[in-house]
Amino acid sequence: MKVVGLTGGIASGKSTVVSTIVSLDIPVIDCDKLARIVVEPTHPAYKKLVAHFGVEILQNQEMGQPLDRYKFGTIIFPNPAQRKVANSIIHPAVRDEILKRLFKLWIKGTSLVVIDVPLLLEGELWRIVSEVIVVYCPPETQLARIKARDGLSEEDALARINAQRPLIEKVDYADHVIQNISDLDSLKQSTIEVMNKIKPNPIWTILGYFPPFTFLMASWVIAKRHLKGDPRKTKSKV
């Protein structure tokens, strides 16, 4: 089974890309949804968050109540140390949920799966996927779309953009770039073309069900990423 990572940025057009991929009957694991699942009261990560941050991050400040996302955000976003703690709890929990879903898809005989990860690069998950797809649009287009879509001032729109890694930096990690610089039809067509390029050979899919070959394939992907290194760090040495 070939596992591909997909990322982009706010207002880059990634949602359209995802819906196009789904229309091709290619399963997509949505990590935003998983991040919401792991902070539900029934999940172990919920208890770890409450143990560190206290019941103040919960609605009505009562154990068993859902996470108060606004309150939680006011605690972790201005404070890098607290954000690091939150990520150290949430990210491993999300990775576990990803692995569970990948295993189920592998059992079903799925040949290709896409993991939609906004923090694919920041969370270092790019190191364990076969290929990375980045949805890109120019910064000025990104800004105009956010202002029009969300009715924000330019200052507020820029603040949201600047809270993420610049799209142009994400392109350095990409094996495939889907350019969103025209209309929706062009974006959908570009997505289809990229997915056709990365579609795995059926023979490799069959071989992937033999444990020794599966291990070799996974090891090769990880080794290839390790040898390639972090593009941004490599670039800074030049």
Side-chain angles (χ1 to χ4, degrees), residues 51-72:
H52 178 80
F53 294 100
V55 294
E56 290 78 12
I57 65 171
L58 305 178
Q59 294 180 20
N60 300 323
Q61 298 188 10
E62 293 180 8
M63 195 65 180
Q65 289 290 308
L67 186 72
D68 185 329
R69 295 182 179 279
Y70 175 78
K71 177 64 176 178
F72 188 48

Side-chain angles (χ1 to χ4, degrees), residues 7-10 118-124 126 134 142 160-173 230-233:
T7 192
I10 186 171
L119 297 179
L120 178 70
L121 310 180
E122 293 83 348
E124 295 291 304
W126 65 276
V134 173
Q142 194 179 17
R160 293 197 180 190
I161 292 173
N162 293 334
Q164 301 179 339
R165 177 177 290 194
L167 278 174
I168 194 64
E169 288 188 11
K170 294 186 178 185
V171 169
D172 289 330
Y173 293 81
D230 189 322
R232 298 303 298 178
K233 292 179 181 177

Side-chain angles (χ1 to χ4, degrees), residues 23-89:
S23 73
L24 298 173
D25 291 326
I26 298 171
V28 176
I29 297 175
D30 185 339
C31 288
D32 272 343
K33 289 182 180 178
L34 297 186
R36 290 192 288 272
I37 289 173
V38 301
V39 296
E40 290 179 353
T42 54
H43 199 282
Y46 172 91
K47 293 180 180 178
K48 293 180 181 178
L49 288 171
V50 175
H52 178 80
F53 294 100
V55 294
E56 290 78 12
I57 65 171
L58 305 178
Q59 294 180 20
N60 300 323
Q61 298 188 10
E62 293 180 8
M63 195 65 180
Q65 289 290 308
L67 186 72
D68 185 329
R69 295 182 179 279
Y70 175 78
K71 177 64 176 178
F72 188 48
T74 61
I75 294 173
I76 66 171
F77 287 125
N79 190 321
Q82 293 284 51
R83 189 163 66 248
K84 186 176 182 180
V85 172
N87 288 340
S88 71
I89 295 171

